[in-house]
Each structure stands twice: as C-alpha cells, then as structure tokens.
C-alpha cells in the first residue's frame, strides 16, 4: 500500500502533468480572469461576499473575463438587491395536500341554504375537474359543518378549528385569492416550491441561498423539517427542496429527529475530530488539484460542503437541543413540542434556527388531502398544527424576531365547494381546487390584520384581487430585498429565474 501511495504521488507530479497544470493556470488567468483583479476590487468595494451572496459573486467570477470594467460593474449592480430588504429570514409552513379554505379561513355562510344543491353551471363554467370527481352525475354543494367566529380588533372570520391561530389573527395578512394552474399534487407542490410544474428547477430556498448567501457559517442557509406525526397521504420528494441546476451547496438540508439529525454527519465509530480534520485537509488539497486542472465549480462546492459538515458536527447538536427551554415555552407550543420530530417540536426548532440566522426554514406537514371523511380528518390536522402555529407567531413576536422574519402558511391548492362522493349532514369529502384558496403571511414587510382578495359565494372563482403563484413568489423575493426579474442564473444557454417569465409584485399587502 505504501509503495502504491508513492507511485500515485510520483505519477501526479510527472513533467507532463506539471506542464499541463502550468498551461491551464496560464490560460485560465488570461481568458477567464483578464479582469480578475478588477473584479475582486469591485467585489470588495461593494462588499458582495457578505452583503449580497452568490448571485453577485457569480456575476463577478463568470463574467469578468469577457467584459469591460463598465459592463462588469453594470452586471454586478444588476445582481444586487434593488429594494431595502424587510425580511432577513423566512419560515414557510407548508401544509401538503391542500387544506380546505371552507374549514379554515374563507367563510361562506350562504352555502348553508344551498346544501345538497348541484353546483350551478354558471359558476363552474365548464372548468376542469380531476378524474376523481369528473364522473359524478351531480356535484352537491357542502357547507362546512364547523362554525366561524370573528376575532381580534380586525374582527376577522376564522374557523372554530383554529382557536390558537385566531388569537394572532391581528398579526396575519390573509390572502384568500391565491390561484394555481396545477390540479394534481405532484405538479402543484412542485409549482409552489420551484415556480414550475415540471421537476428540475431550483426550489425557493435554493434561490434565496444563491441570491443572498448566509448569515451563519456554521449552519446551512436552507433547512427543511418534515413532521413525523402527519398522515402520509401524499409523498414528499427531496427534489422539492433541491438545488436544481444551481450549485449543490444551495440545496436544502433536511434535519430529522432521532440519533442522527443530519444523515452521514457523525464520525464513524473509532474516528475522532482530529482524524476528521486531517482527512478533510488532505481531501481539500486533492480537490484543489483537480479544480486547478479542470476548473469544475462543483469541486469547490464539495470542498465547501465537507467543511460545513465538519462545523455542523458542533453546531447541529447545539441547535437541536431544547432541554434548556423553560417549561412555559413547551406549554406555549403544546405537549407535542416535547416529542422531537412532531410539527410542534419542529415549530420550536424553527424558532431556534431563525435565532441562529438561518435564512430559510421550510416545514412540511402532510395529511391535508381529504377526499372523504373531511370533517373528522381536518379536525385532527388542525389539532396537530394550530397551537404550535399560533405559538410560533407569538414567540417570534415577543423575542423581537417577527419584525424581520417572514412567516408563510399554506398548501398547494384548495378544495371544492361540492362533495366528492356521498354527501351527508355530517360527512363529506372535497376534491382538489386550484382556482382559489387561502394562504397567509405574517411579519416582516407585510400588512398585519388584513384580508386581501375575495372569492364568490362558492369559493369557486376569484372576484377581486387574484394572486397567482408567480405573484406570491415575486412578493416573497421582494420582501427579502430581491427583484425577482433580476435574480437569474444562466443554464444551457438561457437565463432562468424563480418566476420564469411571469410574476408581479402584490403591492397592496406590503407594509
């Protein structure tokens, strides 16, 4: 083995290899960085690395060789935020499966008199149905069996299923007029998470990581938490928090409950921190040799990820440990918050991550796809999530974090006014409905205590202030200081962005 090691070392340093190495270095310096020193100077002048993240760095490194100094400065300025950011960090509570607006935030009292009647053709207007209810001979309308009450100074209508969310309703910006183009789960959730119905695009958190960089070098910029106590009616895919065609270091990192919160992070048995550091040093040198020879940006990403993993061996156990939290915090979030991996525990963990300046935290809670038995199922879902959701808002607010944190709640589409399957006085189901549904935001940069947008008496069509998924994305990025039209990435000859070629800012909800 020792002889083989020396043979490899000799082969790497043959005259032929050294000459190739010298030519590559010279060529790269002359062609790729003919303005490299100027680019570094401009980058230093603007403080790109610390303030504006990797989008501006990419503009500097990729474009420097082919531009004049003036064009280079213009390209860098295009990558910088054009809006003063209101949100330093985001926590996105994604209710996977499509929560019903009728049992949560969109109060429709007129439906009580129309219970059991067929949905009028004048309302449906021939719109697309899923294959699950398209064969029904009638589409009987189903009012919610649950009552609504007015809450807060704003007297906002909220379902009786959400008493804890109702307590913070004056902090919420409820948008009742969200709409999507996708009617089935996979394309719909992919659309919400990446801006496109087809897999392969970067997720929102990855775009944020790419554009804004990190404020904590010991934790990932983008962290994902999935509830263990949720019904698994619809699968979740790791590509929903994937980096797509962006550099791999921008992908979301899933934190799990249990012994290994991050897979493959801990050292193997019999391996200590010194061994790990020594191995990483040698690996970094080998990667650097490969990078110098081939100039593959993924090599630097690998180096950075190995180094991040090493730092996370200390930072992850610290942030995952909630034993120092006082009893009143667990009481605020509810009894499940003492059980790692539950939605409530993940909300508490999200608060800790936000305190550590993690920029994008995404929670997924499955189980909202209620085609039958909806009254019982949605009551269970609300019981599992409502207290912790309200607690997260209250906890962030009392710690002074809500002012610069954006909280988002919602799913991939809504539900139909008509019952899928048999309708009774106490039981019904609802099919997918992408044409209008409800989400809410709270915190940094959005108006509090308002309801935006209106649907008709059947919550079937939007009658005022529609907000498309692309509009939602444009507004989210704006709140983080990013012009969604300017944060782009060139891939396969085309410049891509989160909102594709769409999206407009929803100015009326901005504080």
């Amino acid at each position: 083995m020792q002889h083989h090691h020396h043979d490899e070392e000799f082969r790497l340093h043959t005259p032929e290899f050294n000459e190739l190495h010298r030519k590559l270095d010279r060529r790269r310096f002359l062609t790729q960085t003919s303005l490299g020193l100027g680019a570094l100077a401009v980058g230093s002048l603007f403080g790109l690395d610390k303030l504006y993240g990797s989008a501006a760095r990419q503009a500097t490194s990729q474009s420097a060789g082919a531009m004049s100094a003036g064009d280079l400065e213009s390209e860098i300025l295009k990558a910088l935020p054009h809006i003063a950011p209101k949100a330093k960090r985001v926590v996105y509570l994604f209710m996977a499966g499509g929560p019903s607006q009728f049992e949560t935030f969109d109060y429709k009292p007129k439906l009580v008199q129309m219970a059991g009647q067929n949905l009028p053709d004048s309302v449906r207007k021939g719109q697309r149905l899923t294959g699950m209810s398209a064969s029904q001979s009638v589409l009987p309308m189903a009012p919610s069996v649950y009552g609504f009450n007015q809450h807060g100074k704003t007297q906002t209508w909220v379902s009786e299923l959400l008493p804890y969310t109702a307590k913070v309703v004056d902090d919420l910006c409820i948008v009742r007029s969200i709409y999507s183009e996708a009617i089935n789960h996979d394309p719909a959730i992919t659309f919400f998470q990446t801006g496109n119905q087809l897999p392969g695009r970067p997720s929102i958190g990855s775009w944020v990581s790419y554009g804004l960089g990190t404020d904590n070098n010991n934790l990932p910029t983008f962290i994902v938490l999935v509830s263990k106590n949720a019904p698994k009616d619809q699968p979740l895919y790791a590509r929903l928090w994937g980096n797509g065609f962006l550099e791999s270091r921008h992908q979301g990192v899933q934190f799990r409950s249990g012994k290994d919160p991050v897979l493959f992070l801990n050292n193997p048995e019999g391996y200590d921190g010194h061994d790990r550091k020594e191995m990483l040093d040698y690996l970094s040198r080998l990667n650097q040799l490969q990078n110098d020879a081939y100039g593959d940006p993924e090599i630097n990403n690998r180096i950075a990820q190995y180094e991040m993993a090493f730092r996370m061996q200390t930072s992850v156990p610290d942030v995952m440990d909630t034993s120092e939290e006082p009893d009143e915090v667990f009481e605020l979030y509810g009894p499940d918050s003492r059980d790692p991996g539950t939605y409530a525990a993940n909300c508490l963990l999200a608060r800790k991550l936000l305190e550590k300046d993690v920029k994008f935290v995404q929670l997924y809670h499955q189980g909202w796809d209620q085609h039958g038995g909806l009254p019982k199922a949605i009551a269970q879902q609300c019981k599992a999530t409502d207290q912790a959701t309200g607690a997260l808002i209250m906890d962030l607010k009392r710690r002074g974090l809500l002012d610069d944190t954006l909280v988002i709640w919602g799913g991939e589409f809504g539900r139909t006014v008509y019952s899928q399957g048999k309708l009774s006085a106490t039981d019904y189901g609802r099919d997918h409905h992408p044409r209008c549904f409800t989400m809410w935001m709270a915190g940094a940069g959005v108006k509090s205590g308002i309801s935006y947008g209106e649907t008709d008496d059947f919550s079937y069509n939007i009658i005022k202030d529609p907000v498309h998924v692309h509009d939602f994305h444009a507004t989210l990025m704006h709140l983080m200081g990013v012009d969604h039209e300017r944060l782009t990435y060139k891939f396969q000859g085309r410049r891509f962005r989160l909102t594709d070629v769409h999206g407009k800012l929803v100015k009326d909800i901005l504080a």
Side-chain angles (χ1 to χ4, degrees):
M1 291 294 293
Q2 188 71 22
H3 172 75
H4 175 73
H5 171 76
H6 283 297
D7 182 62
E8 286 294 306
E9 186 175 13
F10 171 78
R11 187 167 58 82
L12 285 174
H13 291 87
T14 60
E16 292 84 357
F17 177 84
N18 291 331
E19 177 63 16
L20 172 64
H21 193 183
R22 186 187 67 78
K23 286 181 178 179
L24 281 171
D25 271 1
R26 184 170 178 270
R27 183 186 303 128
R28 287 174 60 214
F29 181 80
L30 291 175
T31 61
Q32 293 185 8
T33 57
S34 59
L35 289 173
L37 297 178
L40 289 173
V42 175
S44 175
L45 175 65
F46 287 110
L48 300 182
D49 195 65
K50 183 175 181 181
L51 293 177
Y52 300 120
S54 48
R57 290 198 299 276
Q58 189 201 41
T60 304
S61 61
Q62 291 188 353
S63 306
M67 290 186 176
S68 67
D71 287 342
L72 174 62
E73 183 176 338
S74 174
E75 188 71 14
I76 293 171
L77 287 170
K78 274 168 52 182
L80 304 186
H82 288 71
I83 316 104
K86 297 294 179 68
K88 289 183 178 179
R89 59 197 83 83
V90 173
V91 55
Y92 191 165
L93 312 174
F94 197 92
M95 304 294 113
S100 168
Q101 68 273 28
F102 297 95
E103 278 73 29
T104 50
F105 297 102
D106 204 1
Y107 182 38
K108 297 300 174 188
K110 291 185 181 180
L111 283 177
V112 175
Q113 293 91 31
M114 306 180 76
Q117 295 181 31
N118 196 36
L119 176 67
D121 290 339
S122 61
V123 175
R124 182 186 162 193
K125 300 176 182 176
Q127 291 163 6
R128 177 188 179 194
L129 305 180
T130 75
M132 292 170 283
S133 58
S135 60
Q136 289 186 202
S137 57
V138 292
L139 301 173
M141 290 186 288
S144 177
V145 298
Y146 296 105
F148 274 66
N149 298 293
Q150 290 177 287
H151 294 272
K153 295 177 182 178
T154 54
Q155 290 293 284
T156 302
W157 291 99
V158 180
S159 168
E160 64 179 294
L161 293 175
L162 300 169
Y164 291 94
T165 303
K167 291 180 181 179
V168 298
V169 74
D170 285 343
D171 294 305
L172 306 185
C173 172
I174 300 172
V175 183
R176 296 196 177 100
S177 55
I178 299 283
Y179 71 102
S180 178
E181 298 162 18
I183 201 170
N184 290 313
H185 293 285
D186 191 347
I189 194 169
T190 303
F191 193 27
F192 250 102
Q193 298 304 281
T194 71
N196 196 282
Q197 295 185 49
L198 298 176
R201 301 285 182 90
S203 56
I204 306 172
S206 294
W207 278 111
V208 168
S209 173
Y210 160 65
L212 296 175
T214 184
D215 295 324
N216 184 330
N217 290 319
N218 296 319
L219 287 168
T221 310
F222 176 21
I223 292 176
V224 175
L225 308 170
V226 179
S227 301
K228 73 175 186 181
N229 63 325
K232 304 299 187 287
D233 50 12
Q234 292 296 330
L236 293 174
Y237 312 98
R239 59 175 166 77
L240 296 174
W241 49 91
N243 56 295
F245 45 68
L246 296 178
E247 296 166 340
S248 58
R249 61 196 171 95
H250 299 303
Q251 69 182 339
V253 177
Q254 185 179 350
F255 279 25
R256 297 164 167 84
S257 59
K259 182 181 177 182
D260 294 312
V262 179
L263 297 182
F264 313 115
L265 184 65
N266 292 333
N267 291 324
E269 191 174 342
Y271 211 65
D272 63 24
H274 177 75
D275 294 334
R276 176 85 165 196
K277 186 69 173 69
E278 188 175 22
M279 181 271 288
L280 287 177
D281 287 342
Y282 279 112
L283 186 61
S284 180
R285 286 159 64 184
L286 287 171
N287 278 324
Q288 192 61 54
L289 279 173
Q290 190 176 8
N291 184 54
D292 291 344
Y294 300 108
D296 181 357
E298 274 304 302
I299 296 170
N300 283 330
N301 283 308
R302 282 204 300 270
I303 296 171
Q305 287 168 309
Y306 277 122
E307 292 173 348
M308 169 64 81
F310 182 71
R311 296 193 297 272
M312 285 167 62
Q313 288 185 331
T314 301
S315 62
V316 168
D318 176 59
V319 79
M320 296 292 290
D321 182 11
T322 58
S323 61
E324 298 299 316
E325 296 287 337
D327 288 343
E328 66 93 10
V329 169
F330 292 109
E331 291 165 7
L332 178 67
Y333 283 86
D336 282 351
S337 62
R338 295 183 183 273
D339 182 6
T342 62
Y343 178 81
N346 283 347
C347 282
L348 175 54
L349 177 56
R351 189 221 76 206
K352 291 194 67 179
L353 292 170
L354 295 169
E355 284 182 307
K356 299 287 187 181
D357 285 321
V358 173
K359 200 165 286 290
F360 202 97
V361 182
Q362 178 109 39
L363 275 68
Y364 288 93
H365 189 84
Q366 296 157 274
W368 296 91
D369 187 30
Q370 292 139 2
H371 291 272
L374 182 142
K376 181 179 179 181
I378 200 166
Q380 292 171 339
Q381 285 292 90
C382 289
K383 185 177 181 181
T385 59
D386 175 48
Q387 182 173 353
T389 299
L392 180 60
I393 297 291
M394 289 187 275
D395 206 8
L396 291 172
K397 189 174 183 179
R398 69 184 183 176
R399 293 168 187 268
L401 289 169
L402 192 60
D403 290 340
D404 54 11
T405 301
L406 179 66
V407 185
I408 303 166
W409 181 99
E412 67 265 40
F413 41 53
R415 314 302 296 195
T416 55
V417 64
Y418 58 81
S419 177
Q420 179 182 332
K422 188 177 179 180
L423 169 66
S424 74
T426 58
D427 196 27
Y428 49 87
R430 299 192 191 277
D431 203 354
H432 309 163
H433 190 64
R435 294 194 61 82
C436 58
F437 52 103
T438 300
M439 295 178 64
W440 58 253
M441 291 180 273
V446 294
K447 292 178 180 175
S448 56
I450 72 161
S451 296
Y452 183 81
E454 291 181 29
T455 60
D456 60 21
D457 291 336
F458 311 90
S459 195
Y460 202 89
N461 296 297
I462 297 168
I463 59 176
K464 184 182 179 183
D465 297 327
V467 178
H468 189 270
V469 174
H470 289 309
D471 303 335
F472 159 69
H473 288 157
T475 306
L476 188 164
M477 300 303 282
H478 173 91
L479 291 168
M480 299 205 75
V482 175
D483 184 336
H484 71 104
E485 294 184 352
R486 295 178 181 240
L487 182 63
T488 63
Y489 188 92
K490 192 172 183 179
F491 174 66
Q492 293 186 342
R494 179 192 158 185
R495 293 194 182 278
F496 287 87
R497 67 186 206 219
L498 173 62
T499 50
D500 197 41
V501 296
H502 309 283
K504 62 181 186 296
L505 182 62
V506 186
K507 294 180 181 179
D508 290 341
I509 70 170
L510 302 180

